[in-house]
Amino acid sequence: GQNIDQPTEMTATEGAIVQINCTYQTSGFNGLFWYQQHAGEAPTFLSYNVLDGLEEKGRFSSFLSRSKGYSYLLLKELQMKDSASYLCAVGGSNYQLIWGAGTKLIIKP
Amino acid sequence: DVKVTQSSRYLVKRTGEKVFLECVQDMDHENMFWYRQDPGLGLRLIYFSYDVKMKEKGDIPEGYSVSREKKERFSLILESASTNQTSMYLCASRSSTPGQGNYGYTFGSGTRLTVV
């Protein structure tokens, strides 16, 4: 079967760094996506990795290891507005996205 | 920017009613999707459409149908609403051609449907 695992909830402190992990087992692989979703709102695109390595975009970075079926999203200099759910999704063999259940990130002052 | 617009943010319907959820995108995308999102379950695909008048079942199509008469509009229909269809419904449009780089989805703002 196809499976994407990520922690249900994480807590971090404003100004700190947090790493959200995602492991996946899918029948095909056509890229890995991270989305941010604030409560009651639609998911918005954060990052896309198709090759191994680290992609950096401002305070956010995303890492991929295809051989390990593993990705992480790294958030630096946390701000209160980063409190949200972070969704990991994998493009399967038909290019449709397979979604994890999301990680709720709580930022404390 | 691609815009995906869902007609209602909040809806309350009675059990047994026929419910229409509308979604319109303005970037001439072929691919459109309907998801429902429930706590702890993530996004689950109900139906998708690769082009006008084309539709494919997703993972949880039971109790739903769809209509794609025009390229920009993808409608989700609950034939006879039930309380277990209370959920957040999200429409999405695909942002580029798969296999040609980032093909991530753009989502509408969602419709929170309550069936009483």
Side-chain angles (χ1 to χ4, degrees):
Chain A
Q2 309 201 95
N3 196 48
I4 298 179
D5 287 317
Q6 50 181 133
T8 303
E9 187 174 297
M10 299 181 70
T11 301
T13 305
E14 190 177 14
I17 299 173
V18 71
Q19 177 175 312
I20 303 174
N21 296 325
C22 171
T23 59
Y24 63 90
Q25 288 180 306
T26 57
S27 57
F29 180 83
N30 285 295
L32 188 139
F33 297 80
W34 285 96
Y35 280 76
Q36 180 189 59
Q37 185 178 25
H38 285 100
E41 298 183 11
T44 55
F45 171 80
L46 284 179
S47 68
Y48 169 68
N49 294 67
V50 66
L51 299 176
D52 290 352
L54 187 68
E55 295 273 348
E56 297 188 75
K57 195 186 294 185
R59 294 189 298 115
F60 292 7
S61 303
S62 56
F63 171 83
L64 175 66
S65 168
R66 289 173 294 171
S67 62
K68 294 181 179 178
Y70 168 69
S71 173
Y72 67 73
L73 181 69
L74 190 71
L75 292 74
K76 302 176 187 175
E77 301 169 15
L78 286 170
Q79 302 175 10
M80 298 303 293
K81 67 179 182 179
D82 298 329
S83 292
S85 289
Y86 291 86
L87 312 181
C88 173
V90 173
S93 55
N94 59 0
Y95 289 93
Q96 285 192 42
L97 296 192
I98 304 156
W99 296 86
T103 299
K104 183 178 181 180
L105 177 64
I106 299 168
I107 311 295
K108 295 187 173 178
Chain B
D1 278 353
V2 177
K3 264 208 169 154
V4 180
T5 304
Q6 292 183 233
S7 52
S8 305
R9 285 301 298 270
Y10 299 94
L11 275 179
V12 180
K13 297 292 182 180
R14 295 194 180 277
T15 302
E17 276 193 77
K18 191 169 186 176
V19 181
F20 293 86
L21 302 183
E22 305 288 345
C23 176
V24 177
Q25 51 95 4
D26 65 359
M27 284 298 289
D28 201 36
H29 289 160
E30 284 82 18
N31 301 167
M32 297 186 74
F33 306 83
W34 273 106
Y35 287 91
R36 64 178 283 177
Q37 185 176 34
D38 301 287
L41 296 179
L43 288 163
R44 293 183 290 167
L45 182 64
I46 305 171
Y47 267 96
F48 60 99
S49 171
Y50 283 131
D51 209 336
V52 179
K53 298 197 184 292
M54 294 178 65
K55 57 185 178 183
E56 298 283 344
K57 292 180 180 179
D59 300 318
I60 51 164
E62 297 78 19
Y64 303 94
S65 62
V66 290
S67 173
R68 185 102 181 263
E69 295 297 318
K70 293 185 177 181
K71 195 171 190 179
E72 67 270 18
R73 186 180 297 271
F74 191 34
S75 303
L76 180 69
I77 304 153
L78 285 67
E79 298 291 344
S80 177
S82 63
T83 54
N84 63 13
Q85 291 178 310
T86 292
S87 186
M88 169 72 96
Y89 289 87
L90 289 162
C91 175
S93 173
R94 200 199 294 275
S95 62
S96 67
T97 303
Q100 296 183 6
N102 181 355
Y103 60 96
Y105 297 3
T106 299
F107 286 87
S109 53
T111 297
R112 186 164 292 282
L113 173 68
T114 301
V115 182
V116 297

